[in-house]
Amino acid sequence: MNKLILVTGGTGYIGSHTVVELMNEGFDVVIIDNLSNSEKSVLDGIAEITGRRPYFEQFDICDKEKLDNFFRVYKKLDAIIHFAAFKAVGESIEKPLSYYQNNLVSLMNLLKGMNDYNVPYIVFSSSCTVYGEPDELPVTEQAPIKVANSPYGNTKQISEEIIKDTVDVNHNLKAIALRYFNPIGAHNSALIGELPVGVPDNLVPFITQTAIGIRDELKVFGNDYNTPDGSAIRDYINVVDLAKAHVVSVKRMLEDKCKSNVEFFNLGTGKGSSVLEIINAFEKATGEKLTYKIVDRRVGDVESVYADTKFANEELGWKAETGLEETLLSAWSWEKYIRNK
Ligand code: NAD
Ligand code: WQD
């Protein structure tokens, strides 16, 4: 019988790509999503790619009663991948309580459910935001956790602590926290991708929306950083590569290969790219000309951050493989697909 994996937030951006990779590897998947930041039609894209439809339950994981009921119905869950969370940094500063409520209560409900209904493994979506402005580059998993510069970032730090404290005393539970750098791109089929609501905060959706004419111009936030071209540097990772790391993590747990009850891995490419380099790579990959202008730095942005990937490469046995231009082209194909749908 196939192993059954619960994917919370499975109709969202990273979740949907992960569901595809899990199903391609022969896992059965049940998604819980309240559709607060995604659409049910994502399930059609998943079904078209994989030839199978995941189970889908629409409710809020913060609703403990509904979650308990779910665990009673889906008795034989082998593992959980927990993506469901609010993720907009700026919005979290405006609405801190909503972020603490949604991101922490959902996690605590799940951990309690795992204990009560005997689900032993959880993979958690963490973020490179826990490192803040790092002292040394590339960033290893041992780098100090800095004071968070937003309530969103703080929910990731607190979540990691909640997980650590919980698995420390519940020896039947194991966790892997994956610290993503900057996920970008879409599935090669262009049938699933990122669906930002309103004006995108993130660079690549803003670029593709500008190229297609929804936005007049891209604003490059700062060219006076201490970097070779003055614009800020990030580690942009292909979303399908990222999704595959979740499958590897689930298998690692199922095969009892974890070295401790909670493990942390950086998921990045190990290569930093500046904003101006991303613009050039996008233009080269797609043949589109991008309108942009340099403006002031964005408040709260760090100068440079990219991953030391040695631990993930060697211990997890996973490596990002897709090149930057191919990834940017996939983002562009997806943008064209959704606008012409
Ligand atoms: P997303 O918003 O596309 O997906 C999250 C999904 O969770 C959405 O479909 C939303 O409807 C659902 N959801 C939110 N709260 C819920 C709740 N209480 N109950 C049920 N469903 C709920 O976001 P994403 O980009 O796919 O991110 C997934 C995870 O990865 C998040 O935890 C995010 O913080 C983390 N992460 C994302 C990035 C990034 O740049 N995208 C980087 C680092 C970490
Ligand atoms: C990338 C670079 C901007 C938009 C955020 C979260 C982080 C993580 C990933 C969840 C920066 C520049 C952007 C634009 C620009 N998410 N930029 N013009 O800020 O690295 O990380 O997403 O955990 O926590 O903070 O990503 O895509 O917003 O920005 O010049 O219109 O692009 O200044 O240098 P960021 P981003």
Side-chain angles (χ1 to χ4, degrees):
M1 214 171 78
N2 292 344
K3 300 278 186 197
L4 178 61
I5 313 299
L6 164 60
V7 179
T8 76
T11 46
Y13 173 43
I14 307 168
S16 56
H17 290 81
T18 302
V19 169
V20 165
E21 296 309 315
L22 285 166
M23 292 175 76
N24 283 344
E25 290 283 314
F27 288 98
D28 287 340
V29 172
V30 53
I31 293 172
I32 304 176
D33 202 300
N34 63 358
L35 302 182
S36 57
N37 198 36
S38 58
E39 291 176 8
K40 204 172 174 182
S41 61
V42 170
L43 297 170
D44 301 333
I46 294 172
E48 209 172 324
I49 297 169
T50 64
R52 286 198 290 153
R53 197 165 268 273
Y55 302 107
F56 177 69
E57 301 291 342
Q58 183 182 342
F59 67 92
D60 189 327
I61 301 160
C62 296
D63 186 330
K64 182 80 173 60
E65 217 177 294
K66 285 193 179 146
L67 187 61
D68 274 328
N69 196 40
F70 169 88
F71 278 118
R72 279 191 285 269
V73 173
Y74 288 86
K75 287 193 188 66
K76 301 256 332 138
L77 294 171
D78 291 285
I80 298 174
I81 307 181
H82 180 40
F83 291 104
F86 293 158
K87 63 161 181 178
V89 174
E91 186 185 58
S92 79
I93 295 167
E94 303 295 317
K95 301 178 184 168
L97 289 181
S98 144
Y99 272 67
Y100 287 116
Q101 160 76 23
N102 193 54
N103 294 4
L104 301 182
V105 173
S106 58
L107 173 67
M108 291 189 290
N109 282 351
L110 275 176
L111 290 169
K112 179 80 172 62
M114 288 170 72
N115 202 41
D116 293 349
Y117 299 95
N118 301 315
V119 187
Y121 306 126
I122 184 165
V123 178
F124 174 70
S125 295
S126 191
S127 169
C128 69
T129 192
V130 300
Y131 300 120
E133 179 91 60
D135 302 325
E136 281 175 33
L137 289 169
V139 189
T140 71
E141 288 80 356
Q142 278 70 49
I145 302 297
K146 296 285 179 68
V147 174
N149 61 7
S150 72
Y152 166 74
N154 209 17
T155 68
K156 292 299 174 192
Q157 296 189 3
I158 298 170
S159 293
E160 286 193 358
E161 286 171 6
I162 290 174
I163 290 171
K164 256 187 282 178
D165 291 345
T166 306
V167 299
D168 267 356
V169 292
N170 292 280
H171 300 289
N172 48 333
L173 302 186
K174 280 199 166 52
I176 294 181
L178 300 175
R179 293 172 177 160
Y180 316 152
F181 282 65
N182 288 56
I184 60 165
H187 194 264
N188 277 337
S189 64
L191 292 167
I192 53 171
E194 191 171 6
L195 265 182
V197 177
V199 183
D201 289 325
N202 294 118
L203 178 63
V204 171
F206 208 105
I207 287 178
T208 55
Q209 289 196 9
T210 305
I212 211 154
I214 298 172
R215 312 279 156 214
D216 291 339
E217 62 182 4
L218 169 75
K219 294 181 182 64
V220 174
F221 297 138
N223 68 346
D224 57 351
Y225 285 105
N226 185 21
T227 61
D229 65 22
S231 63
I233 289 178
R234 298 288 183 274
D235 186 338
Y236 296 92
I237 169 156
N238 179 284
V239 68
V240 176
D241 287 345
L242 185 74
K244 287 178 179 164
H246 294 77
V247 181
V248 174
S249 299
V250 164
K251 286 184 177 168
R252 179 179 176 85
M253 295 176 132
L254 295 173
E255 291 163 11
D256 205 15
K257 287 186 179 156
C258 298
K259 300 273 166 67
S260 59
N261 53 4
V262 55
E263 295 180 315
F264 301 88
F265 293 101
N266 284 344
L267 297 185
T269 66
K271 186 182 176 309
S273 304
S274 73
V275 177
L276 294 174
E277 282 171 341
I278 294 291
I279 293 172
N280 285 336
F282 177 81
E283 290 184 335
K284 193 160 164 237
T286 62
E288 298 293 321
K289 192 91 196 98
L290 204 68
T291 312
Y292 70 91
K293 75 167 178 203
I294 312 286
V295 300
D296 286 347
R297 294 180 181 194
R298 184 171 66 180
V299 177
D301 270 355
V302 300
E303 182 167 277
S304 274
V305 56
Y306 50 93
D308 186 319
T309 59
K310 191 166 185 276
F311 190 55
N313 296 165
E314 292 177 3
E315 183 57 43
L316 194 58
W318 165 91
K319 199 174 188 318
E321 278 166 355
T322 316
L324 185 58
E325 282 182 29
E326 189 184 331
T327 302
L328 290 166
L329 189 59
S330 73
W332 179 232
S333 302
W334 164 247
E335 184 71 59
K336 287 190 293 186
Y337 169 76
I338 39 172
R339 300 308 156 192
N340 296 320
K341 219 161 85 161

